[in-house]
Amino acid sequence: MKNFFIRITLILLVGLSFFLSFFIWTNNRAFSGKTSIISNNNIATPVDHSHNLANLYNPIKILEVDGRGNKYILSDRVTDITESIKVIFNKLDLKRLIKYTADSNSQYENLLTSTDSIQLYYQAPISINILSDTFGFKYDSKIKDFSINRVIIRQISPIETEIYFANDKNLQYYYISLLLKKNHLFDIVSKIKNKILIKEERIGLSYLINYQNPISLKSYVYLVKTLDDSVFVSNFMTNDGSAGLTFDSKANIYKKGLTKSLTVNNETGLVHFIDYHLDSNQVPNGLTSLLKTSKDTMQKIDNSFNSFRYFAKTGKKHVVFRSYIDGFPVFYNEQKGDVSLLWQKNSQSFYFSNTTLEVPISTSQNSVTIETTNSLLQRLKNKGIKIRDIQDIQLGYSWVKNNDSVEVINLLPGYFIKIGGIYRDAATIINHQGGDNS
């Protein structure tokens, strides 16, 4: 009799074990992190980051050309100026925009050096439609996909203002002349003291920002936020039910059938999601559709995105977002920092980090002096780097691990050089023996 009860007990325990395993894999609560809310239907709903995502397509730099033709970057007031422009543009009727194509690079550059102008600069092309969503103005829907990378606001008189939506690549722009009686934007800009003198020099189909004087930039210590795997599993793998979800703990890979996988690199924090079975109507078509779909995807990634901005469009259906501090991009070690979103005919592939910047804890007591761009170019030449191979030069911040805590990181300023489609720290390239950049 005693053995009989032992056998019954063992059978019940085994049954309970199977039940709990089934419950865990079929209930989204198993994959809900602190940033998710569970509804009555057991569906994980992402936290609303719409306020931060609304800034995703804000300009990455604000430029000013004064009355004497000097051009500056207004690095520490990007957010303030952008918000002021939103107030001016909100409900503005720009349906009578006139299209124009410059006859030559020099004619187009006359527009870029227009005196008494403020320019909203984008690193990558953005559509009129997305700008309208961001700034609130009305426009002719026929030009919703017109691609631009800068908005130029030129003060003609105290009440007359010209607005240009310009594309550096094809030298095209739309413009309009308006009477704006309450345009205080130029008064705000005139009071800014920290201005960085620059020139823009055309390289291929884009313009390189050339810093004319040595620049003093602060180093930062930032608090970072790392999300648990459960957030990404919930948002990307279990949104249509958990049945069939498997997990390989050795490689940290979550799979669903033969078409979906989510890989988390525990050493670098890099997350890769791929879905090989995508309906054709889910693949974005055109610039506006691509940027709107990208924004929706950023919502699913479910991080705070306090500092993220649209950084690059490297293909018809491939965009990159990056963190910005004081108007300068952050370049992370070990592939961290980018959010890379790629769609193909019937698939989507996303790379992103499980760690993002939260808030600055402190700044370095000693600022770092950055050399002029011309000085950097000369040093690159001396190391055997061919200037024609340089695709871009960015002044930004390097993500460096903090030896005292994994919850904070150091941000160190410096130049970053793009060669062969990859950005690398200029100091690393120059210090590399023989200047070999392979």
Side-chain angles (χ1 to χ4, degrees):
M1 180 66 69
K2 183 177 179 181
N3 290 336
F4 173 77
F5 283 112
I6 291 175
R7 291 174 182 174
I8 292 296
T9 302
L10 288 173
I11 291 172
L12 291 174
L13 289 174
V14 171
L16 179 62
S17 175
F18 277 113
F19 171 77
L20 290 175
S21 298
F22 174 80
F23 180 81
I24 289 172
W25 286 105
T26 57
N27 194 312
N28 277 342
R29 280 189 174 90
F31 302 106
S32 61
K34 293 182 180 179
T35 61
S36 295
I37 301 170
I38 303 299
S39 71
N40 292 332
N41 295 323
N42 294 332
I43 298 175
T45 304
V47 170
D48 184 10
H49 295 307
S50 57
H51 175 72
N52 294 328
L53 287 172
N55 298 325
L56 202 61
Y57 294 119
N58 280 354
I60 62 170
K61 284 182 173 59
I62 303 293
L63 312 179
E64 179 207 10
V65 182
D66 64 17
R68 295 175 294 177
N70 297 315
K71 180 171 280 191
Y72 302 93
I73 284 181
L74 311 179
S75 62
D76 58 349
R77 297 292 298 276
V78 174
T79 301
D80 293 344
I81 297 172
T82 300
E83 292 307 311
S84 297
I85 294 173
K86 287 181 180 180
V87 172
I88 296 171
F89 275 42
N90 188 35
K91 308 301 181 182
L92 206 61
D93 189 345
L94 302 180
K95 291 182 179 179
R96 294 179 292 108
L97 289 168
I98 301 172
K99 188 176 182 179
Y100 190 85
T101 302
D103 294 331
S104 63
N105 288 337
S106 59
Q107 186 183 53
Y108 183 79
E109 287 165 9
N110 288 335
L111 174 64
L112 302 189
T113 56
S114 298
T115 57
D116 297 316
S117 67
I118 296 167
Q119 303 180 16
L120 286 64
Y121 179 81
Y122 287 85
Q123 182 73 23
I126 189 167
S127 69
I128 292 284
N129 181 282
I130 297 297
L131 280 175
S132 173
D133 289 346
T134 303
F135 289 93
F137 60 83
K138 299 177 183 178
Y139 71 101
D140 186 343
S141 60
K142 294 179 182 179
I143 63 171
K144 67 177 183 178
D145 271 328
F146 182 74
S147 170
I148 73 156
N149 69 290
R150 73 175 80 214
V151 180
I152 301 173
I153 306 168
R154 187 182 183 191
Q155 188 175 45
I156 304 302
S157 72
I159 62 172
E160 184 181 0
T161 302
E162 291 180 344
I163 300 174
Y164 298 81
F165 297 93
N167 186 314
D168 292 350
K169 183 177 180 180
N170 58 25
L171 311 184
Q172 294 181 343
Y173 57 87
Y174 280 89
Y175 74 98
I176 192 171
S177 179
L178 298 170
L179 296 179
L180 297 179
K181 297 181 180 180
K182 295 183 179 180
N183 185 359
H184 302 298
L185 179 62
F186 289 87
D187 293 334
I188 296 172
V189 170
S190 66
K191 297 176 183 178
I192 296 176
K193 296 181 179 180
N194 185 20
K195 300 181 180 182
I196 302 174
L197 183 65
I198 66 164
K199 285 186 178 179
E200 289 192 274
E201 300 176 356
R202 193 168 185 89
I203 295 182
L205 298 175
S206 60
Y207 284 87
L208 170 70
I209 293 178
N210 189 312
Y211 295 88
Q212 299 294 287
N213 299 317
I215 310 163
S216 180
L217 291 181
K218 298 176 182 177
S219 299
Y220 288 95
V221 178
Y222 254 77
L223 181 68
V224 295
K225 176 182 179 181
T226 301
L227 293 183
D228 188 77
D229 292 6
S230 60
V231 176
F232 311 123
V233 173
S234 177
N235 291 345
F236 287 102
M237 304 295 287
T238 65
N239 53 346
D240 56 352
S242 298
L245 183 65
T246 62
F247 174 59
D248 180 354
S249 59
K250 293 182 179 179
N252 227 36
I253 301 176
Y254 304 83
K255 288 187 176 182
K256 192 165 187 181
L258 300 175
T259 62
K260 280 188 180 182
S261 70
L262 179 81
T263 305
V264 182
N265 187 318
N266 287 324
E267 293 184 3
T268 66
L270 188 67
V271 183
H272 181 208
F273 168 74
I274 189 163
D275 183 356
Y276 291 106
H277 187 66
L278 201 66
D279 292 336
S280 58
N281 60 2
Q282 294 177 286
V283 177
N285 184 22
L287 180 59
T288 295
S289 175
L290 175 64
L291 298 183
K292 286 187 175 182
T293 304
S294 297
K295 185 176 179 179
D296 293 340
T297 302
M298 294 290 276
Q299 177 79 41
K300 288 184 66 176
I301 292 175
D302 203 23
N303 229 320
S304 56
F305 302 115
N306 296 324
S307 60
F308 270 79
R309 296 292 181 269
Y310 173 43
F311 179 76
K313 178 177 177 290
T314 62
K316 289 184 177 181
K317 301 182 190 302
H318 183 204
V319 300
V320 175
F321 297 90
R322 187 179 290 279
S323 287
Y324 272 79
I325 302 298
D326 293 338
F328 298 105
V330 177
F331 294 87
Y332 294 55
N333 292 338
E334 300 171 335
Q335 294 182 299
K336 287 188 178 182
D338 292 346
V339 174
S340 173
L341 310 178
L342 171 65
W343 285 267
Q344 293 177 318
K345 186 176 181 180
N346 294 109
S347 68
Q348 54 187 1
S349 177
F350 308 147
Y351 284 94
F352 51 91
S353 174
N354 63 3
T355 303
T356 57
L357 301 174
E358 281 289 280
V359 292
I361 298 175
S362 64
T363 57
S364 173
Q365 298 297 319
N366 298 317
S367 296
V368 177
T369 300
I370 308 297
E371 65 185 312
T372 67
T373 305
N374 286 336
S375 173
L376 171 68
L377 289 172
Q378 186 58 53
R379 292 208 294 145
L380 289 169
K381 286 182 182 180
N382 294 342
K383 281 292 183 177
I385 305 299
K386 297 178 181 179
I387 302 304
R388 67 171 179 268
D389 293 336
I390 297 176
Q391 298 165 300
D392 189 25
I393 298 178
Q394 291 280 339
L395 183 57
Y397 284 92
S398 179
W399 173 296
V400 180
K401 290 181 179 179
N402 188 294
N403 294 328
D404 298 326
S405 173
V406 296
E407 296 182 353
V408 297
I409 56 93
N410 301 320
L411 293 180
L412 304 180
Y415 280 110
F416 296 84
I417 313 298
K418 183 180 180 183
I419 298 177
I422 299 174
Y423 284 95
R424 295 176 59 195
D425 185 355
T428 301
I429 295 176
I430 292 173
N431 293 332
H432 198 284
Q433 186 175 3
D436 181 10
N437 55 41
S438 60

